[in-house]
């Protein structure tokens, strides 16, 4: 199946700094990628939809100036958490949209990034 | 709004069957999914079922769907230590419309 690689797997940063997380499709091109956030013992919540060559679409309640998304190529989307605060500590996971064998698209997920802001 | 609920923990003995249950609210979902997340890894699609099906079997995995009650279950036969993971139930219509449950942590005891 399609492989999605996310980097880094974990990161610790100081409060006030920015952190960039990469999501790469390794063996296919992904026009659309998705960024999710997962709090402990909670479900994955969609943050935004990343579209290659255009602006990302953010879900309600997600600050676009805080969570900057860039999808500059068909194999890479980045999420930058700007001016990180401890409440931004979470597990961030990306997925790429692929047309599968069925009538609709499938999602392939990266391994996730655990961000800890101290 | 749309919601998917599942219990947080399940513990089973090695060799027994595991049954993970899930309820959902959006009756218009095309697909119901089961994802597996191992420590340090991303989500792996285990199996999925079309909303117009009642059952799907794939080797040790059996998915049952009760559309009337909006209830989905995943049965893992002959549970092994390698099955230890978090299992996410999800509903959706495409890659862009997937609603996840909070995940059930399956632990295997000897």
């Amino acid at each position: 199946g399609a492989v999605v690689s996310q980097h880094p797997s974990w990161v610790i940063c100081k409060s006030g700094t920015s952190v960039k997380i990469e999501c790469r499709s390794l063996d296919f091109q992904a026009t659309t990628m998705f960024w999710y956030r997962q709090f402990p013992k909670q479900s994955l919540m969609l943050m935004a939809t990343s579209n290659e060559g255009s602006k990302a679409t953010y879900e309600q309640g997600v600050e676009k100036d805080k969570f900057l998304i860039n999808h500059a190529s068909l194999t890479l989307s980045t999420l930058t958490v700007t001016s990180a605060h401890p409440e931004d500590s979470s597990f961030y996971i990306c997925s790429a949209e692929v047309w599968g064998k069925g009538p609709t698209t499938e999602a392939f997920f990266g391994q996730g990034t655990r961000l800890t802001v101290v | 709004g749309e919601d998917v609920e599942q219990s947080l923990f399940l513990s089973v003995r090695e060799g027994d069957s595991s049954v993970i249950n899930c309820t959902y609210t959006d009756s218009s979902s095309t697909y119901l999914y089961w994802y597996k997340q191992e420590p340090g890894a991303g989500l792996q699609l285990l199996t999925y079922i079309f909303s117009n099906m009642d059952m799907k079997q794939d080797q040790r995995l059996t998915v049952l769907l009760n559309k009337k009650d909006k209830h989905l279950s995943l049965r893992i036969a002959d549970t092994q230590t390698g099955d230890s993971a978090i299992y996410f139930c999800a509903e959706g219509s495409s890659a862009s419309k997937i609603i996840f449950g909070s995940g059930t942590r399956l632990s295997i005891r000897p």
Side-chain angles (χ1 to χ4, degrees), chain B residues 87-99:
Chain B
Y87 290 82
F88 289 90
C89 171
E91 61 172 340
S93 303
S94 69
S96 61
K97 299 288 183 185
I98 301 177
I99 307 296

Side-chain angles (χ1 to χ4, degrees), chain A residues 78-114:
Chain A
T78 60
L79 169 68
T80 301
V81 182
T82 63
S83 186
H85 288 99
E87 57 264 31
D88 298 324
S89 299
S90 189
F91 188 70
Y92 294 87
I93 191 165
C94 70
S95 72
E97 183 177 42
V98 178
W99 278 99
K101 298 177 182 178
T104 185
T105 57
E106 299 178 33
F108 290 89
F109 287 83
Q111 73 271 33
T113 298
R114 182 159 302 284

Side-chain angles (χ1 to χ4, degrees), chain A residues 34 36 38 41-44 91 97 103-107 109-111, chain B residues 8 31 35 37 40-43 88 93-96 98 100-102:
Chain A
F34 305 94
Y36 292 83
Q38 183 185 23
K41 299 181 182 178
Q42 295 187 29
S43 62
L44 281 74
F91 188 70
E97 183 177 42
T104 185
T105 57
E106 299 178 33
F109 287 83
Q111 73 271 33
Chain B
L8 290 178
Y31 298 96
Y35 285 86
Q37 185 180 35
L43 293 176
F88 289 90
S93 303
S94 69
S96 61
I98 301 177
F100 290 89
S102 52

Side-chain angles (χ1 to χ4, degrees), chain A residues 10-55:
Chain A
W10 60 271
V11 58
I12 301 173
C13 71
K14 289 186 177 180
S15 189
T17 62
S18 295
V19 174
K20 181 185 284 187
I21 303 169
E22 295 184 346
C23 180
R24 292 183 185 272
S25 55
L26 295 188
D27 50 0
F28 66 100
Q29 293 181 331
T31 306
T32 304
M33 293 184 175
F34 305 94
W35 287 97
Y36 292 83
R37 183 173 181 178
Q38 183 185 23
F39 290 103
K41 299 181 182 178
Q42 295 187 29
S43 62
L44 281 74
M45 300 300 295
L46 180 64
M47 297 175 65
T49 301
S50 171
N51 302 295
E52 187 270 334
S54 65
K55 291 183 179 180

Side-chain angles (χ1 to χ4, degrees), chain A residues 46-78:
Chain A
L46 180 64
M47 297 175 65
T49 301
S50 171
N51 302 295
E52 187 270 334
S54 65
K55 291 183 179 180
T57 304
Y58 290 82
E59 295 299 302
Q60 192 172 11
V62 178
E63 298 176 60
K64 61 180 68 175
D65 294 330
K66 181 164 187 62
F67 299 100
L68 300 179
I69 292 173
N70 186 303
H71 195 154
S73 78
L74 286 170
T75 59
L76 174 65
S77 174
T78 60

